[in-house]
Structure formats: structure tokens, C-alpha cells
Amino acid sequence: MARWNTIARGAAFAAAASLALAACSTDAEPESSESATGGTEATGSTEALKIGTVLPLTGSLAFLGPPEVAGVDLAIQEINEAGGVLGADVEVEHGDSSDTQQAQIAPQTASGLISNGVSAIIGAASSAVTLNFIDDVMAAEVVQVSPANTATSLSGYNDFFFRTAPPDSVQGNALANLILDDGHTNVGILVFNEDYGTGLRDVIKSTVEEAGGTITYGNPGEEFDPAATNFSAEVEAVMATDPDALVVIAFDQTKQILPELLAAGMDPATLYMTDGNTADYSADLDPGAIEGAQGTIPGAQASDEFATRLEEAYGETLDSLAYGPESYDATMLVALAAVHAGATDGPSIQSSMAAVSGATGGTECTGFAECAELLEAGEEINYQAVSGVGPFNDANDPSAAYVGVYQYDENNVQNWVSEVFGEVPAS
């Protein structure tokens, strides 16, 4: 049975109402065509839209690959069933990003996609991986939309870079407030030394300290090497500070860290994790080992109907839906931007991304068929994202987003329990 069918839907936080958080060109010769919305002459390519993906099919984030690929494939299926973009089916080419330990893979994948004439790339999942190849994508004037990058350093990085996941200011704030609401004030953090980790740590630290709490370990200078194979010293160091809550910000390293923390006497009910490691540990730990632990993953809880569609598109059971809705939204926005611009090249798509997201107003719509019909009738649209994110702001971040809270059961499986909504003002 699909994992999402077993998810417990608990009550939302009292604070769930609102959080104010601070926080390519193708090889074809350009052709003239009539814009779908403005009736003006477009100058971009009208060849079939090609989309590529750079998503984790291998490596430490491979557990995120299936729902992300499923999200892209579901969107492509829906778009093509509705007649495609500008009368042609959208083409998709999937590629591997792996992780930072295999740093050459993502740039090679992106280079191949650019050579094959994609106008947009969906990915990567890891912010650090994106930073390994983003400059090449931007130089080629290919639109890149990440469904999962959260590093604050990517806000406003380039006019061609967008994301459908909120920056770490949102997740970090939500997680810190969860910890504080649970009554913890002395917080230890085990964090790896890379942008994703330190960015989240910094937000958690500032939020906890502003509320009068203390970071007992994990302050700047107390990070661990992501390539390390042993974490005994770090576990000993954090436990020596006697924290009443412990946050682990890591990827696959978590599978080694958790047994050491448990052996050192950590109470699993005081353990918190983030989207990079809020994964299924049923095959890695003894039953009940981390029962009661909690984690956060940006994104609204997917409906049962959408979850079913994701699994049907993927062709297999999905253990997690993490970033599947965001991947679907990223693909939809690219296709709708091409319809809006009346062209399928990167610069044309880039020029319409904000508009179709609702940044300039427009009629609310869901799904490709409804939104494309409005565009073809000359209307502006406000695409209603499945993931719950708001229109792009001036940093190409979503202007609002949800963060889901998950709790571990007796099988060490994460279950959705609530979600917090936050606004994401441009920095």
C-alpha cells in the first residue's frame, strides 16, 4: 500500500494560520508567432518544448528522486493529454544529479541536456549540487527551476533561476518554533559543513536565541565534514552539552549518526530533523528506535487524489511524496510560461514565469488545460500550485509556502501531522 495512505492527519499548530517570516536556447532559428496573451509578435522558437531534469537518481538523496521524477512525469502527461504546448507534445529527458560526493555528475548531466536543446531544467534537489552547475545553465539562457533548493544564497541568484520550494528562512523558523513550542530551550545541533546545513542552522540559531534559548553545540565552527565516515567525536561533543533537544541536519550521514546518538542515551522524543533526512528508517533501525522524533519538509500535504496520480505516473509505489508536488508545479509553470510567451526558448519562458505564477494578478486556475485555455483567450492567470506556494517574488522565490511537520511511528516511518503557513518576503 502506498505510504501516503497510512499518513496520520493530526491537528495543525496553533500558529498555522500565518507566520510572517523575514527572511536555452534551442538550435532552431527564431520564428515569429503571435503571443498567446498580448497579441504581439513573439520572436522566440516555436519548436517543441524540451525539458530536462537533473534530479537525484543515485547518491545520498536518491530517496527524493522517485517523487520528484513522478511530479515531472505527471505534469508532462497532463500537458500532452491537453494538446501540448503551442500544438506540440512536450519532450522530457531525465538525468541524474547524484550528490556533492559525486560532484562531477550533475554538471555532466546539465551539459548534455543543454547540448540536446532543452529550454528548461527541473532540478537539482540539493542546493550545493545546484551551485556546481547553475552558472553553466544560466550562461546558456536555459531556465532552471528547482523543486527542492532551499539555500538562502540562491535567492535572486540569476533571472533564469527559480524555485518552487521556499528558502531556509521558512523551514528553519518553523522548525525552531516547533522545538520551542515543545518546551525545549537548550538545543544541540549536529550539522554538516555545506550551504544547506549551515543556512538552516543559522536560522534555527537566531530564532531560538531571540526567544531566550541557547544553542549548546553546533554553533559556527562546530560543523562536521560531510565526507566523514565516523561521527563519534561529534556525538560525544554534542551530548556532553546536555541539550534538551537535538537537531540533526545532514543527508545520508544520518543513518550512521542516529545509532550513535541512541547508544549515547538520546531520547528520540527530543530528536528533530529536516527535509534532507526526514526519511523512512524502517530498514535501518530497530523497531521503535526513533518513535516520537519529528522532522520538517517544505510543502503542503498532497491530497489522496494527487498522490494516486503521482504513483500512476511513476508506475511504482512511492514511499515518500516529498517535493513531488513542487516538481509538478515547476514543470507546469515552465509549460504555461511558454504558452504565455508564445515561444518555447529559454529567454521567452523566463520572461513569463512570474506572470503565470500570479505575480501580476490574473484569473486563478488549476491544471494545464484550464490555465492554457485562459491564456489562449488572452487572459492573465494566477496558477494555483499543488504544493501551496504563492507567486514568485522579485527574488524568484515563492512568496508564500507551507512547511509540513512529520512524526516517526513505531516502525521508524515518518507520518505527516500538521503544516505551518508562512509568507516569504523578498530579501
Side-chain angles (χ1 to χ4, degrees):
M1 180 168 59
R3 180 73 61 206
W4 52 266
N5 273 334
T6 67
I7 289 174
R9 290 174 169 80
F13 287 149
S18 177
L19 289 175
L21 306 178
C24 165
S25 303
T26 67
D27 293 330
E29 290 297 320
E31 300 177 19
S32 294
S33 65
E34 187 172 286
S35 168
T37 59
T40 58
E41 292 298 310
T43 59
S45 171
T46 56
E47 288 202 349
L49 174 61
K50 297 180 181 179
I51 296 175
T53 69
V54 184
L55 295 170
L57 308 181
T58 64
S60 60
L61 286 180
F63 73 95
L64 292 176
E68 292 175 336
V69 170
V72 174
D73 283 348
L74 177 58
I76 297 294
Q77 176 184 312
E78 183 180 327
I79 292 163
N80 289 344
E81 287 177 350
V85 170
L86 305 183
D89 281 355
V90 178
E91 302 172 16
V92 63
E93 180 179 347
H94 291 297
D96 187 21
S97 67
S98 193
D99 55 29
T100 55
Q101 303 307 306
Q102 303 292 330
Q104 77 284 0
I105 292 180
Q108 290 172 353
T109 299
S111 177
L113 293 172
I114 294 168
S115 295
N116 288 343
V118 301
S119 297
I121 287 175
I122 310 301
S126 161
S127 299
V129 170
T130 285
L131 289 167
N132 283 339
F133 69 90
I134 186 172
D135 291 338
D136 294 335
V137 179
M138 303 300 98
E141 296 191 320
V142 169
V143 171
Q144 181 176 349
V145 190
S146 172
N149 286 173
T150 59
T152 55
S153 60
L154 287 168
S155 291
Y157 188 93
N158 188 282
D159 288 346
F160 280 77
F161 178 79
F162 300 80
R163 54 182 167 186
T164 52
D168 286 328
S169 55
V170 178
Q171 182 182 189
N173 184 280
L175 179 56
N177 280 302
L178 171 63
I179 293 167
L180 292 165
D181 289 346
D182 285 347
H184 306 301
T185 56
N186 297 308
V187 182
I189 305 177
L190 284 177
V191 54
F192 57 1
N193 191 19
E194 63 123 75
D195 283 351
Y196 164 80
T198 57
L200 267 172
R201 183 274 315 278
D202 291 348
V203 178
I204 295 169
K205 173 180 168 68
S206 64
T207 305
V208 168
E209 291 178 342
E210 286 172 7
T214 302
I215 301 301
T216 66
Y217 182 85
N219 291 292
E222 296 176 324
E223 305 86 5
F224 66 81
D225 182 355
T229 57
N230 185 286
F231 307 97
S232 298
E234 288 80 8
V235 168
E236 182 178 353
V238 69
M239 294 299 288
T241 67
D242 195 27
D244 54 26
L246 203 152
V247 183
V248 178
I249 309 175
F251 293 152
D252 211 41
Q253 303 92 340
T254 308
K255 293 178 181 178
Q256 295 172 263
I257 294 171
L258 292 181
E260 295 196 34
L261 285 172
L262 292 166
M266 177 199 68
D267 178 358
T270 67
L271 171 66
Y272 298 83
M273 294 184 283
T274 63
D275 59 311
N277 57 359
T278 300
D280 182 338
Y281 294 102
S282 58
D284 305 297
L285 301 170
D286 292 335
I290 56 171
E291 184 175 1
Q294 297 178 79
T296 52
I297 301 176
Q301 172 70 354
S303 69
D304 287 354
E305 183 270 340
F306 185 78
T308 297
R309 293 174 62 205
L310 274 180
E311 289 201 334
E312 290 174 346
Y314 191 64
E316 296 179 23
T317 298
L318 294 171
D319 289 332
S320 168
L321 302 181
Y323 298 115
E326 288 83 358
S327 300
Y328 171 92
D329 288 335
T331 309
M332 280 292 178
L333 286 163
V334 167
L336 290 169
V339 175
H340 182 277
T344 58
D345 58 285
S348 296
I349 292 170
Q350 185 278 331
S351 70
S352 289
M353 286 288 288
V356 297
S357 77
T360 57
T363 303
E364 293 185 359
C365 59
T366 58
F368 183 78
E370 180 184 355
C371 295
E373 183 177 356
L374 289 169
L375 290 173
E376 289 161 359
E379 293 192 40
E380 292 294 325
I381 65 168
N382 181 346
Y383 170 72
Q384 300 297 287
V386 173
S387 62
V389 297
F392 291 121
N393 61 22
D394 57 8
N396 290 351
D397 290 335
S399 57
Y402 288 88
V403 176
V405 179
Y406 296 74
Q407 188 167 51
Y408 281 85
D409 63 17
E410 68 278 6
N411 297 311
N412 304 317
V413 174
Q414 73 281 25
N415 297 303
W416 182 92
V417 293
S418 63
E419 60 194 19
V420 178
F421 178 77
E423 295 180 352
V424 191
S427 57

